[in-house]
Amino acid sequence: STKVAIPTAFSPNGDGLNDVFRPTGKGFELINLVVFNRYGEKVYETNSIGSGWNGAFNEEQQPIGVYTYICEYETYENKLRKIKKGNVTLIK
């Protein structure tokens, strides 16, 4: 079965806990993860499940606040492509 968990908040402060924003779970392959700031600017994009957003854009740490994400993935079981959209809060 497919389980996709996407955090609602993360804290890229280097303490080793919730430092990176990325989907977790099982039974799926990440197609694309894109994160936008409140101005609609793309601050992060990846197609690798192993990587995630560390809160930086152009090597500059982004401000505390709410960011929007679009996560596209494909289930292993039925090869269904699905999209999850939502918000993630960057905290320190």
Side-chain angles (χ1 to χ4, degrees):
S1 67
T2 303
K3 287 189 175 20
V4 179
I6 302 178
T8 55
F10 77 119
S11 57
N13 56 12
D15 68 357
L17 300 169
N18 296 324
D19 283 333
V20 176
F21 171 69
R22 67 173 162 242
T24 59
K26 63 178 186 171
F28 72 96
E29 177 183 353
L30 181 67
I31 305 297
N32 199 26
L33 173 66
V34 186
V35 181
F36 301 92
N37 65 17
R38 63 182 169 185
Y39 306 110
E41 298 169 313
K42 180 169 46 173
V43 294
Y44 181 75
E45 183 171 17
T46 188
N47 57 12
S48 169
I49 191 69
S51 59
W53 186 39
N54 64 2
F57 177 59
N58 287 341
E59 298 181 27
E60 195 172 300
Q61 201 57 41
Q62 294 301 289
I64 291 170
V66 177
Y67 294 78
T68 304
Y69 69 82
I70 301 171
C71 177
E72 185 180 359
Y73 62 95
E74 185 176 282
T75 64
Y76 289 146
E77 203 172 359
N78 305 336
K79 295 290 182 202
L80 295 175
R81 282 212 175 192
K82 297 189 175 186
I83 293 177
K84 280 194 175 195
K85 299 178 181 181
N87 296 323
V88 59
T89 304
L90 190 161
I91 55 180
K92 297 288 178 173

